[in-house]
Amino acid sequence: TSNTSKAKTKGQGAATSVSIQLDKDDFKQAVIRNLHRTLGTDENKANKHAWWKATSAAMQELVFERLRTTQKTHYLNDTRAVHYFSAEFLMGRLLSNNMHNFELFDTAKRALKELGVDLVDMLEEEPDMALGNGGLGRLAACFIDSLATMEFPAIGYGIHYEHGLFRQEIRNGAQIERPDSWRDYGNPWEICRPESIQQISLYGYVETKYDEDGKIHKEWHPGSIVTGVPWDIPIVGYGGKTVNVLRLWQSQSSEYFNWDVFNAGGYVDAQRENVESETISKVLYPNDETEAGKELRLIQQYFFSACSLKDIIRRYKRVHGDDWSRFAEQVVIQLNDTHPAIAIPELMRILVDRAELSWNVAWEICTQTFAYTNHTLLPEALEKWPVRMIGKILPRHLEIIYEINHRFMAEVDAKWPGNNEIKAKLSIIEESNEKMVRMGNLSVVGSFAVNGVAEIHSALVKSQLFPEFNELYPGKLTNVTNGITPRRWLKACNPSLSALITKKIGGDWILNLDKLDDLSAFASNKTFQNQFMKVKQQNKLALAEEIKKLTGIIVDPKAIFDIQIKRLHEYKRQHLNLLHILALYRRLLQDPDYDMHPRVFIFGAKAAPGYALAKTIIYAINVVADKINNDSRVNEKLKVVFLPNYRVSLAEKMIPAADVSQQISTAGKEASGTGNMKLALNGAITIGTLDGANIEIAEEVGEDNIFIFGLTVDEVNETLSAGYNPYDYYYSNEELKATIDWLDSDYFTPGNPHALSSLKHSLLEGGDPYLVLADFEDYCKANLALDLAYRDKSKWAKMAILNTAKMGKFTSDRSIKDYVERIWKLDSCQVK
Ligand code: GPW
């Protein structure tokens, strides 16, 4: 089999014109009809929520019509499709997005206005669909937007979590977690597909049988059967032509019970320790970049991978019957990190045990079907599952994994004869005290392509993480730099800037982001600078109002809005930002005339509930904020805001108002970053390290239009191998020492002097693993340069314009084009 037979990629297939013709009056009627007939209420009684539901229902009529046409077209053309397997899809809100992608936003706005409803205000009724933690989940959401926009046959597969990422509240400065219930009052976008239910097996044992010819056959007798119920979310491409689906599986207990196991004895007791079926899709694990190592998490991974594979196979068989020879021509499966990697042995099981293909034929199909994206080098995020746990939950899969490894080890031995060190390193099984299955190694061995998510990251995947794999399989490891959808992250979230850009250079940028470069010609034009900065000012005013509403804090829209929004992690170094804030505070106290442009530091971040130091950093930001904001000696020049419950819909309000984008991870640690792209696209200037996609952003905007500081990847490695000692920096920089010591006094936490001592400890005795102290001085210098640059209004405006102008590369349309041409080999399919 080969997946290259359809290698020709016909252009980009992007939609070019509006397909839905609906005027204001049609729209009004559709909303009212749904208010009456779907919601059973009327204009006089309807509250905001009812209007939102009726409007969503009106949109959904259009969405379903295009969904049906798309599915019919794909079916009739028997197209090769990509299946994007991801444990997370961080969709955010869908109504405004769907309106924008159908190019009906303005129509809807005018229609609703005549009904006495403010659309923008009404959109706030929609809860975020927060089925993801951060960058990885949001990337999946941007990718399916681009896939639909460019009319590629694609389906997203994931989990229908009952509770998405927790809602964050801040009480007395500390994070507390509240359950997220995004479906409490019904979700208008999802449609249940009971006709496509799947059942999957768990637990039990494997029986070895021999047929008359002495051939071995393995039979898995499961201990329990779980039902997967699919919910489809339509994904509307820009232009409204192709509507793909995101299919999310909900677990349900099944009627069916396997009595073989009951007879095996001891069953009821053993069963009690097993995960209950309904629990599987209950909640998203909130640990970003750290594996939970929990049985339930492994079951979640298997559950959605196995349901999705069965779904794909059912669809394939409908056309091709038992002829497996074309499977890999029709199906490509992208593994979003290793979370769905258990799909590899699952497909082998189906092909070998069920379809009775030979191992070699099955393995050929398998390794032509899967491709794997790596999103991190952090050791704590590289998934490993105890052999014992896999053996309990998926006994047959464990056997298959061992067989894959056995054959792979022979391959390794052929390449490096007798080299046990390399074998131990590459083995899918880690021979530690507690034996582990390395999901990364399994994914590399079982895939035809492996990619990192930014140039530097992919280079490090090759040189640090998988160097021997790179030798063994030349060309398999590659790069696809991440991207973001400009529909959500510019057109929808920043309507004034979008309108200004379109007025200046036309609207082609929405589907061809490189067009933004046409703005470069106006970067020094005073009139355009004024228009551009006026939009920024209006967006800052709107955010200032939001800040007041959410926190009571009053900020000056003329101040620099300096924003750091991302999950809370030591490697992302929110505490480096905080130390610099403390340094500014101290300078202002020591010298009331200290010359700086007023600046508001704004944070948004959730910490994993079990990540104690991350929670301490949130607490530290909040207590420092409280002190500074209420200190009349400094609060004209300095304010600190922590906005609670950072999420997609809040990001959409913050990003358009940012002057400065903080991207300050330790070099080598942030695989790519995508918030960096969103902020720069909206005209924020980055202060950042040479890490992840920052490097490529710097290449695009040029060194004059970004503030780069800190150690490079090579310098980080040199510093660490030279025996890094944070005390050297602590004792040699008076300001640094003073700010760190300040945190450990009772100045910020009256009556509780050591409330923040774990933070100080991690930076000193703890060895400062993320080199905060090493980068502090250079960070301060970059901040100084930034402050000076801001005072030159024209210079800053030019920088901001050029940032927007040079972001073309970072559209997710380009990422998807890279995947399609270099990995997936898909043809686009125009839906009429
Ligand atoms: F650890 N990323 C994330 F690699 O948001 F799996 N969550 C995760 O669990 C992981 C990665 C994982 C992020 C990266 O940190 C970020 O740099 C990258 O831009 C994003 O994935 C999308 O590739």
Side-chain angles (χ1 to χ4, degrees):
T1 52
S2 142
N3 58 21
T4 53
S5 63
K6 284 196 165 188
K8 348 139 235 142
T9 304
K10 287 189 231 134
Q12 286 197 25
T16 46
S17 67
V18 197
S19 56
I20 302 291
Q21 302 295 337
L22 205 65
D23 67 17
K24 181 199 67 196
D25 292 322
D26 300 334
F27 199 93
K28 245 167 96 176
Q29 273 170 26
V31 172
I32 288 173
R33 187 176 65 243
N34 278 286
L35 201 60
H36 295 175
R37 300 190 187 170
T38 313
L39 279 110
T41 184
D42 74 33
E43 298 91 304
N44 309 317
K45 282 200 290 181
N47 62 7
K48 236 190 266 175
H49 192 78
W51 282 113
W52 167 68
K53 278 210 143 169
T55 309
S56 301
M59 285 303 296
Q60 193 70 320
E61 290 178 356
L62 308 177
V63 172
F64 279 159
E65 184 53 28
R66 296 306 302 175
L67 176 67
R68 195 179 58 79
T69 328
T70 303
Q71 296 199 328
K72 199 167 169 182
T73 307
H74 290 173
Y75 178 76
L76 290 175
N77 288 304
D78 191 23
T79 54
R80 171 174 169 82
V82 64
H83 304 78
Y84 199 84
F85 279 29
S86 179
E88 305 187 5
F89 286 90
L90 224 185
M91 302 298 293
R93 292 174 175 157
L94 298 183
L95 177 54
S96 114
N97 198 251
N98 288 349
M99 285 175 169
H100 277 284
N101 282 8
F102 272 130
E103 294 173 276
L104 281 173
F105 191 86
D106 294 328
T107 305
K109 195 169 173 179
R110 283 184 285 119
L112 285 160
K113 191 170 178 192
E114 291 187 10
L115 293 167
V117 179
D118 180 68
L119 172 60
V120 175
D121 187 42
M122 184 194 80
L123 293 174
E124 294 296 312
E125 287 298 306
E126 182 171 353
D128 278 37
M129 203 175 156
L131 310 186
N133 273 286
L136 174 142
R138 184 55 231 177
L139 185 76
C142 285
F143 280 2
I144 58 179
D145 175 277
S146 285
L147 280 162
T149 297
M150 296 160 85
E151 300 209 82
F152 288 113
I155 174 160
Y157 278 110
I159 301 175
H160 189 264
Y161 299 107
E162 188 176 324
H163 302 285
L165 186 60
F166 65 87
R167 185 161 52 79
Q168 178 193 56
E169 288 178 10
I170 302 295
R171 288 225 193 121
N172 300 321
Q175 165 177 304
I176 50 176
E177 301 90 29
R178 292 270 153 245
D180 161 69
S181 306
W182 62 285
R183 303 173 70 241
D184 261 8
Y185 304 102
N187 178 307
W189 305 114
E190 54 183 14
I191 157 156
C192 191
R193 302 278 193 201
E195 69 274 23
S196 300
I197 275 173
Q198 295 292 352
Q199 294 198 309
I200 61 115
S201 306
L202 295 169
Y203 304 109
Y205 64 96
V206 178
E207 185 189 0
T208 306
K209 287 177 169 170
Y210 297 86
D211 65 15
E212 303 89 59
D213 314 328
K215 225 182 104 202
I216 290 183
H217 187 89
K218 296 285 190 168
E219 192 169 334
W220 177 19
H221 298 267
S224 61
I225 307 280
V226 177
T227 299
V229 181
W231 293 84
D232 286 355
I233 320 280
I235 305 299
V236 179
Y238 186 75
K241 289 185 166 176
T242 288
V243 175
N244 284 331
V245 299
L246 168 60
R247 174 159 282 192
L248 302 176
W249 298 98
Q250 176 185 25
S251 66
Q252 213 175 63
S253 71
S254 55
E255 303 280 305
Y256 179 75
F257 196 81
N258 193 319
W259 292 100
D260 282 5
V261 181
F262 190 78
N263 296 332
Y267 168 74
V268 174
D269 282 345
Q271 192 69 357
R272 224 194 344 234
E273 292 168 29
N274 290 346
V275 167
E276 302 276 349
S277 312
E278 291 82 2
T279 317
I280 297 172
S281 59
K282 263 269 173 289
V283 59
L284 165 73
Y285 275 90
N287 316 314
D288 186 61
E289 315 233 17
T290 26
E291 48 156 347
K294 292 283 192 292
E295 183 165 325
L296 175 57
R297 168 77 174 180
L298 177 59
I299 292 176
Q300 286 185 337
Q301 297 183 347
Y302 177 68
F303 166 72
F304 93 88
S305 303
C307 285
S308 308
L309 268 180
K310 283 197 161 169
D311 200 51
I312 292 167
I313 291 168
R314 175 187 54 77
R315 208 174 292 122
Y316 175 80
K317 283 195 161 187
R318 207 161 62 188
V319 180
H320 302 278
D322 287 334
D323 173 14
W324 288 93
S325 67
R326 299 196 50 209
F327 188 76
E329 281 172 36
Q330 294 297 95
V331 176
V332 56
I333 297 175
Q334 188 67 34
L335 303 172
N336 198 21
D337 216 86
T338 57
H339 314 147
I342 196 69
I344 295 169
E346 170 68 1
L347 182 57
M348 283 303 284
R349 185 187 69 83
I350 293 166
L351 297 178
V352 173
D353 294 1
R354 293 307 184 88
E356 304 197 306
L357 301 185
S358 75
W359 181 277
N360 288 335
V361 170
W363 185 242
E364 185 62 21
I365 294 174
C366 223
T367 51
Q368 290 301 309
T369 299
F370 290 105
Y372 154 56
T373 304
N374 172 283
H375 297 264
T376 190
L377 305 171
L378 294 187
E380 64 268 32
L382 300 177
E383 291 191 300
K384 293 188 234 173
W385 291 105
V387 162
R388 188 187 32 78
M389 195 187 283
I390 295 190
K392 177 188 168 194
I393 300 167
L394 302 167
R396 179 60 184 136
H397 296 74
L398 183 59
E399 293 184 350
I400 290 169
I401 290 167
Y402 267 98
E403 183 64 26
I404 293 171
N405 196 43
H406 179 74
R407 290 162 186 257
F408 171 60
M409 286 292 102
E411 224 181 297
V412 174
D413 193 64
K415 170 98 181 170
W416 293 283
N419 189 333
N420 289 329
E421 204 181 313
I422 286 194
K423 268 193 221 156
K425 207 177 155 202
L426 297 195
S427 174
I428 295 166
I429 309 295
E430 181 182 278
E431 300 286 342
S432 38
N433 198 16
E434 157 113 75
K435 282 194 191 181
M436 301 289 236
V437 177
R438 295 165 170 156
M439 303 309 273
N441 295 28
L442 175 63
S443 301
V444 176
V445 174
S447 300
F448 66 87
V450 176
N451 75 283
V453 290
E455 291 289 351
I456 180 91
H457 170 65
S458 299
L460 293 170
V461 167
K462 285 191 212 170
S463 65
Q464 310 287 308
L465 189 62
F466 298 134
E468 297 82 3
F469 282 113
N470 194 36
E471 265 189 72
L472 190 59
Y473 306 124
K476 193 192 266 200
L477 275 57
T478 177
N479 173 252
V480 179
T481 297
N482 282 168
I484 57 169
T485 170
R487 272 74 65 183
R488 181 177 293 262
W489 297 112
L490 180 51
K491 184 177 188 291
C493 77
N494 199 343
S496 323
L497 185 58
S498 301
L500 176 63
I501 293 169
T502 297
K503 200 175 109 208
K504 200 74 193 166
I505 62 167
D508 292 353
W509 59 271
I510 299 166
L511 287 169
N512 180 4
L513 205 63
D514 286 330
K515 282 269 174 194
L516 286 181
D517 201 10
D518 291 356
L519 293 172
S520 301
F522 307 102
S524 300
N525 176 301
K526 289 282 176 294
T527 313
F528 188 65
Q529 287 182 351
N530 288 337
Q531 291 169 332
F532 194 95
M533 293 316 286
K534 192 173 158 209
V535 167
K536 180 64 77 183
Q537 204 53 37
Q538 283 165 355
N539 291 336
K540 288 169 72 174
L541 204 66
L543 182 61
E545 277 166 25
E546 193 69 21
I547 289 171
K548 181 162 172 244
K549 196 174 96 194
L550 294 174
T551 65
I553 301 167
I554 304 205
V555 298
D556 177 3
K558 287 206 243 356
I560 300 172
F561 276 22
D562 181 311
I563 297 192
Q564 187 172 21
I565 38 178
K566 49 188 77 255
R567 285 298 289 257
L568 203 308
H569 269 288
E570 286 163 275
Y571 87 78
K572 296 178 190 279
R573 300 199 295 191
Q574 281 93 350
H575 48 338
L576 174 58
N577 192 347
L578 184 63
L579 287 182
H580 171 251
I581 293 169
L582 288 172
L584 290 179
Y585 185 21
R586 193 166 163 273
R587 289 176 205 169
L588 286 167
L589 289 183
Q590 289 184 340
D591 173 10
D593 296 324
Y594 177 72
D595 190 21
M596 65 176 272
H597 193 281
R599 191 150 159 195
V600 186
F601 291 90
I602 308 170
F603 293 86
K606 287 178 180 176
Y611 189 170
L613 189 55
K615 287 179 136 180
T616 300
I617 294 171
I618 288 179
Y619 182 63
I621 294 169
N622 277 301
V623 295
V624 168
D626 202 46
K627 199 82 184 172
I628 290 177
N629 298 340
N630 293 298
D631 190 335
S632 58
R633 296 170 296 177
V634 304
N635 64 16
E636 304 266 290
K637 284 185 178 163
L638 189 59
K639 284 257 167 84
V640 181
V641 176
F642 186 98
L643 285 181
N645 200 29
Y646 179 62
R647 62 198 187 283
V648 170
S649 60
L650 188 53
E652 289 164 2
K653 300 188 174 95
M654 298 174 80
I655 289 169
D659 293 308
V660 175
S661 162
Q662 295 270 351
Q663 308 299 338
I664 59 178
S665 53
T666 315
K669 302 293 182 194
E670 189 70 274
S672 161
T674 44
N676 46 3
M677 302 167 185
K678 296 165 196 168
L679 284 153
L681 179 62
N682 283 272
I685 318 294
T686 303
I687 177 167
T689 48
L690 287 174
D691 197 18
N694 295 354
I695 296 174
E696 290 160 74
I697 290 175
E699 276 167 19
E700 296 298 306
V701 304
E703 59 180 83
D704 290 347
N705 299 305
I706 189 167
F707 297 95
I708 294 293
F709 73 94
L711 300 174
T712 61
V713 170
D714 289 341
E715 288 163 353
V716 163
N717 291 333
E718 285 158 22
T719 305
L720 288 173
S721 51
Y724 174 61
N725 183 358
Y727 283 101
D728 295 344
Y729 296 86
Y730 178 72
Y731 287 118
S732 63
N733 183 331
E734 188 261 344
E735 183 173 59
L736 176 59
K737 179 173 185 306
T739 58
I740 292 177
D741 292 345
W742 211 6
L743 276 177
D744 200 26
S745 70
D746 71 348
Y747 186 81
F748 298 103
T749 56
N752 196 356
H754 299 299
L756 302 176
S757 61
S758 64
L759 181 44
K760 176 177 177 179
H761 184 278
S762 78
L763 294 175
L764 295 170
E765 299 97 304
D768 185 20
Y770 299 100
L771 305 174
V772 172
L773 277 69
D775 274 345
F776 178 79
E777 194 178 321
D778 205 27
Y779 182 53
C780 289
K781 277 193 198 137
N783 272 293
L784 219 54
L786 184 159
D787 175 88
L788 288 176
Y790 192 83
R791 300 184 207 189
D792 183 342
K793 290 280 166 261
S794 171
K795 177 180 171 182
W796 189 273
K798 181 180 173 192
M799 290 172 79
I801 293 165
L802 286 174
N803 267 266
T804 299
K806 300 294 183 183
M807 282 305 106
K809 175 176 180 183
F810 303 104
T811 170
S812 45
D813 299 348
R814 192 269 314 144
S815 307
I816 289 302
K817 192 163 172 279
D818 284 355
Y819 278 104
V820 162
E821 289 176 356
R822 303 196 0 247
I823 299 177
W824 300 337
K825 316 280 185 188
L826 296 181
D827 292 324
S828 66
C829 176
Q830 258 87 40
V831 180
K832 291 274 131 48

